[in-house]
Amino acid sequence: MSNVWIIAKRELMSFFFSPIAYIVLVGVLLVNGISCIILIQFMNDQPTDVSVFAIFFNSFFSWLALIVMTPLITMKLFAEEKKTGTYESLMTTPLQNGEYVMAKFLAGYAFYVILWAPTVIYFILVNTFTATPLEKAPVYGGFIGLLLIGLLAISMGCVGSSLTSNQIVAAVITFALFGGLLLIGFLPYAVGGKWREVFQYFSMISHMEELVQGILDWRRVIFYLSGSIFFLFLTYKIVESRQWKA
């Protein structure tokens, strides 16, 4: 496991030497800040019993941040080393393929969490300057949702990045994978009967709606954990096949 932590730490630190990291960080803060301000102003004009943050976590802006940031985070994880040639060098060391994949995933996921962490400031400010106490369930549920979605999103990004040495292509693949799953989230609102239940199981939008209401269904947790394991296993097999070809 020491190899995993060494490579994960090195990979995580490399994010902060890339201008893209800071562009993504500023972009996420800007988009989420604008979303928060718009929602607070709207709900001041039209009071409702629904918490502003119950809407915030499932807003267009939050999903926009997710679908844009995920490809930008993961596009370099494997593709960059293939392009520079360090990928082949690493494969000649005692490092196991599984350790290599896990280290890359942990670095990408850690950076994902770091990008979302400053969002906590918005909730602290609202809780400080509002007359009524802030509802905790939408906040906790929303962040749990972000952590679960992040597991699946970053693992999808690992697949996209492991398929190519071109970072742009890797980003497009990840965008297509995550975007396709996100689009499925709208299908429960368009169909009925058993198909509605089927699509609802895969709907990240429906999952977030439940979480911000304080409902934690363990089937959702299993969905994200099993989905992450599947895509990480797929990444492992891709890395293994490329090593064999080399």
Side-chain angles (χ1 to χ4, degrees), residues 62-99:
S62 293
W63 290 111
L64 175 65
L66 277 166
I67 200 171
V68 171
M69 72 189 288
T70 301
L72 294 177
I73 292 172
T74 59
M75 66 182 187
K76 68 183 285 292
L77 290 177
F78 296 88
E80 185 178 46
E81 289 187 344
K82 288 181 184 179
K83 185 176 181 179
T84 58
T86 53
Y87 175 83
E88 286 73 15
S89 300
L90 279 171
M91 292 299 100
T92 60
T93 67
L95 180 69
Q96 299 295 316
N97 289 332
E99 293 177 324

Side-chain angles (χ1 to χ4, degrees), residues 46-65:
Q46 300 182 29
T48 176
D49 293 333
V50 181
S51 168
V52 64
F53 294 115
I55 301 175
F56 170 83
F57 283 110
N58 221 1
S59 68
F60 166 79
F61 293 100
S62 293
W63 290 111
L64 175 65

Side-chain angles (χ1 to χ4, degrees), residues 51 57 127 133-143 211-212 214:
S51 168
F57 283 110
N127 195 42
L134 183 67
E135 289 184 53
K136 300 298 189 297
V139 177
Y140 295 151
F143 277 114
L211 286 165
V212 295

Side-chain angles (χ1 to χ4, degrees), residues 176-197:
L177 287 172
F178 187 71
L181 182 59
L182 182 59
L183 286 175
I184 291 175
F186 294 99
L187 292 178
Y189 304 98
V191 298
K194 292 184 178 180
W195 281 111
R196 178 183 173 85
E197 293 180 12

Side-chain angles (χ1 to χ4, degrees), residues 184-185 187-204 206-207 210 217 219-220 223:
I184 291 175
L187 292 178
Y189 304 98
V191 298
K194 292 184 178 180
W195 281 111
R196 178 183 173 85
E197 293 180 12
V198 171
F199 289 127
Q200 201 160 23
Y201 181 78
F202 295 96
S203 173
M204 294 185 290
S206 297
H207 301 165
E210 294 175 0
D217 188 334
R219 290 177 300 174
R220 312 310 183 205
F223 168 76

